[in-house]
Amino acid sequence: MRANYHTHTPRCNHAEGAERSYVERALAGGFQELGFSDHTPYFFDKPGYYSTFRMKPELLPDYVDILLALRAEYAGRIKLHIGLEAEYYPRLFPRLLDYLRQFPLDYLILGQHGLFNETEGLFSTRPTDDAKLLDQYRGQTLEALETGLFTYFAHPDLFFFTGDRKVYERHVRAICRKALELSIPLEFNLLGFSEEKHYPDLFFWRIVGEEGCAVILGSDAHSPMETWSPDLISKAETLLAGFGIRPIERATLHPIR
Ligand SMILES: [Zn+2]
Ligand SMILES: [Zn+2]
């Protein structure tokens, strides 16, 4: 692993450590690229509602400024990219893009933590056997990929479906085929892997291997030490090799302009 594009900062209220500490940690691991992708701000239209796990819009200028300064300071040693991890909320996405386009953002990764427009209170990580919600997750994320604005699909197996595996398989294959068609890598999430969350889901990754999708490792670092761990990377690579998957080392970034 020589590049990681999934890195957070304390602005999202559940990460720790200065940006510089993440950069130093990446350098210590011999990384050539580090991309920051903190949880994007959003503009919700439900009075009084704001998610606790994302930065406020007014924090974005500071985020960008600090990373631009670090990029200049570390030039020649490591390539720094400024991105965001964003959900695709259809009703709210155009306004978000209008805002984001004011900043020199190198990329977005898709991390679909909520369904619909989030304000309905339905989250991807809540276990459910409701196939209609799985269908919504698939439809919404594939529509997101179709926009061409996302560089990769982070933890595509975030939706916690506890129902019929046959139904699940159909949706997983649909996600894989769309990712293949659009040449969008799927992220094997190292944070979920180390913390033994419900994702990465091995059933999902077996299908990814069968379908032949591009796969990338993402640290999803919420602290500098989580930027990399040699044991974790080799464990992930061994597991993926068993499914015939060899992760790509670099992503082709889609800048937001
Ligand atoms: Zn997070
Ligand atoms: Zn993340």
Side-chain angles (χ1 to χ4, degrees):
M1 196 175 174
R2 287 288 166 263
N4 170 51
Y5 304 95
H6 196 162
T7 313
H8 292 277
T9 79
R11 290 171 193 76
C12 65
N13 306 313
H14 62 279
E16 59 185 33
E19 295 79 5
R20 179 184 299 279
S21 308
Y22 289 87
V23 177
E24 288 291 338
R25 175 70 184 161
L27 272 173
F31 279 53
Q32 292 156 353
E33 297 185 35
L34 181 67
F36 283 84
S37 53
D38 207 359
H39 295 278
T40 187
Y42 241 112
F43 296 91
F44 294 100
D45 53 7
K46 182 180 173 187
Y49 181 81
Y50 200 79
S51 6
T52 53
F53 59 89
R54 63 177 76 256
M55 72 170 81
K56 292 269 172 61
E58 59 268 28
L59 295 183
L60 189 59
D62 167 70
Y63 174 75
V64 171
D65 285 349
I66 285 179
L67 294 176
L68 284 173
L70 285 172
R71 173 191 284 171
E73 182 183 335
Y74 283 89
R77 299 170 68 197
I78 187 167
K79 258 195 207 162
L80 297 183
H81 305 292
I82 310 172
L84 290 168
E85 175 177 14
E87 297 80 1
Y88 175 69
Y89 294 144
R91 194 172 72 230
L92 312 175
F93 200 61
R95 167 138 192 236
L96 174 65
L97 277 180
D98 281 348
Y99 183 64
L100 298 185
R101 285 195 169 112
Q102 301 172 52
F103 301 91
L105 293 173
D106 301 314
Y107 71 105
L108 295 180
I109 58 175
L110 176 65
Q112 192 68 36
H113 300 94
L115 300 179
F116 302 98
N117 295 285
E118 196 181 293
T119 49
E120 296 82 353
L122 291 163
F123 291 91
S124 306
T125 49
R126 196 159 56 186
T128 177
D129 60 1
D130 187 342
K132 284 201 294 294
L133 293 180
L134 174 61
D135 193 59
Q136 177 65 29
Y137 176 82
R138 188 215 50 193
Q140 196 163 341
T141 54
L142 296 196
E143 197 176 303
L145 299 185
E146 296 268 15
T147 65
L149 292 163
F150 292 96
T151 285
Y152 79 54
F153 190 172
H155 38 58
D157 46 351
L158 187 68
F159 190 85
F160 197 170
F161 186 63
T162 56
D164 186 350
R165 290 273 113 173
K166 276 274 163 235
V167 172
Y168 188 56
E169 176 175 351
R170 196 157 45 77
H171 286 80
V172 175
R173 290 205 190 269
I175 288 173
C176 288
R177 286 174 192 173
K178 182 58 74 179
L180 262 176
E181 177 197 324
L182 300 170
S183 303
I184 296 178
L186 301 176
E187 179 208 72
F188 185 87
N189 190 273
L190 293 173
L191 182 66
F193 191 49
S194 76
E195 295 186 347
E196 298 179 5
K197 296 183 192 243
H198 68 278
Y199 61 93
D201 178 308
L202 300 193
F203 180 89
F204 183 102
W205 291 94
R206 179 180 301 280
I207 296 170
V208 170
E210 286 170 15
E211 295 286 341
C213 300
V215 172
I216 189 161
L217 301 180
S219 305
D220 201 356
H222 286 75
S223 72
M225 285 306 283
E226 287 172 356
T227 306
W228 59 272
S229 134
D231 293 351
L232 191 63
I233 294 168
S234 71
K235 222 174 105 192
E237 284 174 344
T238 303
L239 180 108
L240 290 171
F243 298 142
I245 297 168
R246 212 188 133 162
I248 57 170
E249 285 287 347
R250 280 188 181 69
T252 306
L253 303 182
H254 304 196
I256 302 306
R257 294 286 182 266

